[in-house]
Structures are given as C-alpha cells and as structure tokens.
Amino acid sequence: MTTARRHATLEDVARAAGVSRSTASRVLAESGFASPIARERVRDAADRLGYVPNAAARALVRGAGVRLLVAVAGTSPGVLDDSYLDQVVSTTAQVCAPYGLGVTVAWVPLDQPGQLARLADDRAVAGLVLVNTTEALLDVVPRRLHGRTASIGIGSTAVPSVDIDNGGGTSAIVRHLYAAGRRRIAMVTGPAWLACSRRSVEAYRGLLREAGLPVREVAGDFSAARGRSAAREVLHRWPDTDAIVGISDATALGVIDQLRADGVRVPADVAVTGFDDIPLASVTALTTASHPVRRIAAAAATMVLEQRPAPPTTMFPSSLVLRESA
Amino acid sequence: MTTARRHATLEDVARAAGVSRSTASRVLAESGFASPIARERVRDAADRLGYVPNAAARALVRGAGVRLLVAVAGTSPGVLDDSYLDQVVSTTAQVCAPYGLGVTVAWVPLDQPGQLARLADDRAVAGLVLVNTTEALLDVVPRRLHGRTASIGIGSTAVPSVDIDNGGGTSAIVRHLYAAGRRRIAMVTGPAWLACSRRSVEAYRGLLREAGLPVREVAGDFSAARGRSAAREVLHRWPDTDAIVGISDATALGVIDQLRADGVRVPADVAVTGFDDIPLASVTALTTASHPVRRIAAAAATMVLEQRPAPPTTMFPSSLVLRESA
DNA sequence: CCCACACCTGGGAGCGCTACCAGCACAATC
DNA sequence: GATTGTGCTGGTAGCGCTCCCAGGTGTGGG
C-alpha cells in the first residue's frame, strides 16, 4: 500500500493498455468515442496500476476549479465560529468529497462586498455557496461563477437558493401562541439586513395586524446576550406582554434566563419561543421550529456541483416543535 | 468587479512589467533572485491586473496537492455527523483558506484501513489530518504524505500529533469526586480501540487502585443512548455506587437522565461527571472537563501546512469545570 | 465502383506555471 | 589582463491532462 514508486499517469495506463493517451483519456474521462474493447483494456490497466487522475492537471486544462468557497457575510469574523456554520461547512465538505473538490470558508465583511470579488476571482474556486448574505453581495459574484453559485438563507431568485421557510415557521409559532390565548406578543428580531430575519419579522407583523393585535418589536442579533437585555427592554416598555418570540433559540434561551432571574414565570406569565431547534432546545424544553440544516447545506452544495439549470428557490419547511416554554 | 475579460496570467503580468515570465514567477513565488526594481514593477503590474496565481497550474508543476483530507475512523459513516467533527472540519477549512487549500472529509471504516490508502493515494491530497484513528491506520499513510500528516486524539509519536490530556482530565475529575467523599466510583468508558478513551480509562483505574477502591467499568460508546442503559447496568451490578464518570458529556447527560427517571437524585445519591464541556453542559450544570476543540484542530492543520519538523506530540490541557452534577 | 457517413484512433498543441540552465554584466581577486 | 565569483535575467522544457483535428476503418447507398 505504502507504494514508493512514482504515481501512475495517464501515459502509463495508455501504455499498459496498448492504446494512445488520447484514447485512455476518452475512456477515463467518459467523453467522446471509444470501442468496448479499448474501454475494457483501459479500465483494466487503470485498475491494475491504481491510477488516480491528477486533479490539478485536469483542472488546469479544463479551466475548472479545485474547491468550493463557502462565504459568510457578517459584521465580524466571529460569524465563522458558529455551530450552524460548522454544520454547513462540514456537510459541504462531505458532499464535495466524491467530486474531488475541497472546501474553504471565508468571512465577507458586510460593508466590503469587494472582498468577495477578490476571493472569488481565483480560477481555483469552482463554485460558491453564499451563507446569510445580502442581495448586494450577489452583484459582486464574477460572471464565471454565475451558474455555479447557490445561496442559503437569502431567498433571492437571482441565484439558485436554498431556504428555510422562516415566514411559515414564524407564522406557525405565532398562531400557536394565539391559539394558546396569548394576545400581547412581542418579538426579539434579527438584523434587518438578513433576508431570513426579515421574513420572520414580516410574518409576525402580518399575523398580528390581521388579528388586530399590537406589534411589539425589539431589535436583536441572534445572540443569547441580546436575548437577555431584550427581555428586560420588552417588559419595561410593555409590562403586560404575555409572550416573546425569539428570532433564534439562543435568543430565546437568553430571554428565558433573564425572565426567570427577574422572577417572571415561563411559560405561566410569559411564553417564550425559539427558532432552529438546536440540541439545547430539547433539554431546556423550548418550543421552537426545527430545520434540517445538514440537508439544506447538502442541497446548496449539490446545486453548485451539479449545475442545476432552473430551480430558483428550494424551500425547506420549518416544523413546529411544541415543548414546555410555550 | 464582475470582470468579463480573461483572467490575467503570469504572462500578462510579465509583459506589463516588461520582464520575462521567469522573473515574474520568481518575484511572485518568492524564490530565487530578483532585483528590487524588477520586484517592484512585477508587484505593481500584478496589482494593476488583479493577478491571482492559478492554483492548479502551480500544483501541477510543483507536484503539490490542492486540498487537505480529514479522515475519521469509526464503525459507521455516522461519525461524520458529529458536532465535534463539524468543528474540526470547519476550523481546518478556515486555517487552510490563506494557503489556497481546500478541505475534504472522509470516513474510514475501522476494519478497512485500506480505504485510507485509496483516498490518500491522490496527488491532489496535500496533507492528512487523522481524527480518532488507531495506530494501525498510520501504517497505511503513503510515504509521500509522511511529513504532511497530523493526528488528533491518538497520542502516537510516529506522527506529529495533537492531543487532549485525557489522562490528566480524568484524573482531575476522579480526584474531585474523591475529595468530595465519593468512594464507589463507576465509569462508563468509550471504545477500547480509541487511544484517547483508553487514556481516560487508565487514569481512572490507576487512581482507584492507588486509593484501594474498587474499579467498576461498563463499556460505552460516547453516546447518550448508551449512557442511559449504562446507568441502569451500573446500579444493577453495584447498587451502592455513589459516582459515575462519563467518557463524554453526551454519555453523562444520558446517565443523569436515566438516573433521575429512576428516582435517583443527582448529585445527592450519585454524582455524575462528563468530558468535553459542550454547550449543553453549562445549561445542565454538568461537572466536566473543558477542551479547546477549535485550537486543537487549528494546531493539527497548522502542523501539516507548515510541515513542522519535530514536535512529536502537542498536548492540550483539560481543565476541570465544576458545576452542580458532582 | 465510389462516395458518404458513421465510428473510432493517435498525434500534437497547449492550459499556466515553475525549475533548470545558460548567459550576461559588473566587481573583486590574482 | 585573465580569472573567479556574485547578482540577476530570459529562454526553454516540461508537469499530466484534455481537446481538436486529421486520418484511419468499416458499412451501407447510390
């Protein structure tokens, strides 16, 4: 196994099979004509020699890339140290393996979209997976990668996009709260520049307006820390609030923590809901909406690898998970 | 930004700078001689043209690879869907980005080490990060990659290796339990083929023997499910047990869950400890040992990228985190 | 009989880059 | 003045692969 001999090249395979390099290439790359006999002899020889095509050479001549770039927009590089992104990257790497492609991650500062152009303007980049970016970032994607870009959580139709049904998920949550008799429902939102956050907020507003209930919003940022301070803010501004919708599980957990610390009973006095269904949610009995992150990431990666022609947006459902917090 | 024009090549840079391709290459690859004047003009031209070296061409001629392979040993491909591995892969991808290298992950069946040889016998693989493998897998690493392999959690000296001080961590935990007056301490172990698991178990045994206490081991597999059944098994075999050491947080959480369901008070009747300090641990007040997973992964990746010459083993400390479960 | 038209093959160019080698200028030494 | 460096330079040969193109061979139709 630990062969010291030089790696077998296409030339070696061709010679062993008694055909030309061209024919061997045609057989192994599955392009163009080749007689069944030639086909078999080449495959045989390749097997025998343990031939593995040289990805660099292939990429060079084809003008193709050797890796996928997962780009994450955000205000600080801290977005990279996040369990959601960990799952996306790891899943992408799994999906890419059979294609012989690697994966890299990079943070794109929200106010410097040019950074993305710089990163993507590299022939080695075979495709792009944009995570939580703004539509503005899409403009900066080099033309070369237009067919090889997918986004997660942006809901754009300009680029094949995989999305969570944030609107539907939030609606389900708000309806559940309403059905449980809650009438003064507040929300800790996410950053407005994020489409997925906006969709949640809009669903919340829409439903409340429709029901003739007051809208009570406090700006958040997905974090638990902001959840804590937001909880205080909500009860300070609207003391009769009887439910708080968190934009994420982390936020909701922060809210619950603060409420309990302040002697507010959850869910008796105030019901609290999250979004995502992280492992912590089941332990803390958080009512939330669940999303198949791994499947979402795999779908996005597959889109760029297979160069799907059409499907503008694939929407993954958000399923309500009822637990004790609401 | 969205330049449609052909990508600038070294040739273009050289022409623009008024030097030969060789000189431009020497300047940009920082190898060999080049006059300050030439240096500046080439750098200038490269900047102006937005030159990005073609990784495939470079890799081809240098015989170098284009990606790192993270290989994980285990009994089923399920090992890939694990938050620990997610962190390792994601961190590796971050570290690799500036080097222009991608990352792939693969599962290597424990009983088919040859699979690793097959995966690694690809010129595109620039380096190897072995996660939770056995020493046997090391033999299968192609000679070409001998200087470009690092392992995590195996503690071998045959290969540069990054490790958690499992022994030290477990010792600290057992000592803490002893100091708290526990004398009948059981352990739910991990698979014996895993070095890091063995180190923990050995530390546990050593300390107990030293103190003249009985050793009470039940075989586990890191999972919460096994933690549950193991809890019952322990109390069935040794009803007077007053502490259970879990090989991981997940196991410990399973143990606690089962104990409480069976009416056993934690920690009053039985103290329980974990290992890893996953986010859940702080919420569930689990006493455990904490490890810097991201730093460990980064260290391993850096080892293979920088081809460190010597340091056989880097040991990361395990720090005791005291919470309420023990 | 020749031609058209399939199918199949090998030769060769060249992707973009680095490494090697010769060659130049200029300074220092004998 | 001849010799030996020392710094720097450009030409050129590939790395391993794919693709284009010219040139086969065989089959069927005019």
Side-chain angles (χ1 to χ4, degrees), chain B residues 179-242:
Chain B
R182 311 286 171 164
R183 290 296 179 273
R184 290 172 299 272
I185 306 171
M187 179 169 196
V188 182
T189 70
W193 58 266
L194 249 177
C196 59
S197 162
R198 279 200 310 272
R199 287 201 301 271
S200 279
V201 175
E202 277 154 22
Y204 158 81
R205 283 183 197 155
L207 241 51
L208 259 59
R209 295 226 172 95
E210 204 177 287
L213 299 177
V215 168
R216 301 173 166 186
E217 283 173 27
V218 166
D221 61 2
F222 289 106
S223 77
R226 180 64 191 128
R228 283 202 181 79
S229 58
R232 285 219 159 135
E233 195 176 330
V234 166
L235 287 194
H236 178 76
R237 290 170 63 182
W238 309 287
D240 62 344
T241 297
D242 59 7

Side-chain angles (χ1 to χ4, degrees), chain B residues 140-192:
Chain B
V140 126
V141 174
R143 195 153 307 158
R144 179 176 66 85
L145 293 173
H146 274 193
R148 305 199 144 275
T149 301
S151 75
I152 297 180
I154 183 174
S156 156
T157 47
V159 154
S161 152
V162 183
D163 246 288
I164 293 169
D165 184 10
N166 299 271
T170 304
S171 294
I173 284 173
V174 174
R175 281 208 191 87
H176 169 71
L177 291 170
Y178 187 88
R182 311 286 171 164
R183 290 296 179 273
R184 290 172 299 272
I185 306 171
M187 179 169 196
V188 182
T189 70

Side-chain angles (χ1 to χ4, degrees), chain A residues 135 151-159 161-163 195 199 313:
Chain A
E135 297 242 8
S151 74
I152 297 180
I154 182 174
S156 158
T157 47
V159 153
S161 152
V162 183
D163 246 288
R199 286 200 302 270
T313 298

Side-chain angles (χ1 to χ4, degrees), chain A residues 91-287:
Chain A
T91 303
T92 307
Q94 285 177 45
V95 175
C96 285
Y99 293 81
L101 292 172
V103 174
T104 26
V105 225
W107 160 63
V108 178
L110 208 54
D111 52 351
Q112 295 173 45
Q115 292 278 342
L116 178 60
R118 207 178 48 76
L119 289 164
D121 193 23
D122 180 339
R123 305 292 307 202
V125 173
L128 223 48
V129 174
L130 267 20
V131 181
N132 283 354
T133 53
T134 64
E135 297 242 8
L137 268 183
L138 258 41
D139 298 335
V140 126
V141 174
R143 195 153 307 159
R144 179 177 66 86
L145 293 174
H146 274 193
R148 306 199 145 276
T149 301
S151 74
I152 297 180
I154 182 174
S156 158
T157 47
V159 153
S161 152
V162 183
D163 246 288
I164 293 168
D165 184 9
N166 300 270
T170 304
S171 294
I173 284 173
V174 174
R175 280 208 192 86
H176 171 70
L177 291 170
Y178 187 88
R182 312 286 171 164
R183 290 297 179 271
R184 291 173 298 272
I185 305 170
M187 178 168 196
V188 182
T189 69
W193 59 266
L194 248 177
C196 59
S197 162
R198 279 201 308 273
R199 286 200 302 270
S200 280
V201 176
E202 276 154 22
Y204 159 80
R205 284 183 197 154
L207 242 50
L208 260 59
R209 293 225 174 95
E210 204 176 286
L213 298 177
V215 168
R216 301 174 166 184
E217 283 173 26
V218 166
D221 60 2
F222 289 106
S223 77
R226 179 65 189 127
R228 284 201 180 80
S229 58
R232 285 219 159 134
E233 197 177 327
V234 166
L235 287 194
H236 179 76
R237 289 171 63 181
W238 308 288
D240 63 346
T241 298
D242 60 8
I244 299 180
V245 176
I247 188 73
S248 73
D249 283 352
T251 298
L253 259 16
V255 167
I256 292 176
D257 209 49
Q258 187 62 59
L259 289 180
R260 292 202 169 133
D262 290 349
V264 179
R265 289 169 305 161
V266 177
D269 300 332
V270 177
V272 178
T273 63
F275 209 80
D276 280 346
D277 198 23
I278 60 176
L280 257 175
S282 67
V283 181
T284 52
L286 184 66
T287 288

Side-chain angles (χ1 to χ4, degrees), chain B residues 4-18:
Chain B
R5 64 146 167 52
R6 202 176 52 83
H7 210 77
T9 79
L10 190 58
E11 182 81 49
D12 302 328
V13 174
R15 200 170 18 238

Side-chain angles (χ1 to χ4, degrees), chain A residues 291-311:
Chain A
H291 317 119
V293 179
R294 286 209 138 82
R295 277 172 50 213
I296 290 169
T302 307
M303 273 183 178
V304 346
L305 292 169
E306 299 283 337
Q307 282 218 70
R308 297 275 177 76

Side-chain angles (χ1 to χ4, degrees), chain B residues 10 25 51 58 61:
Chain B
L10 190 58
S25 169
Y51 172 72
R58 184 172 276 183
V61 65

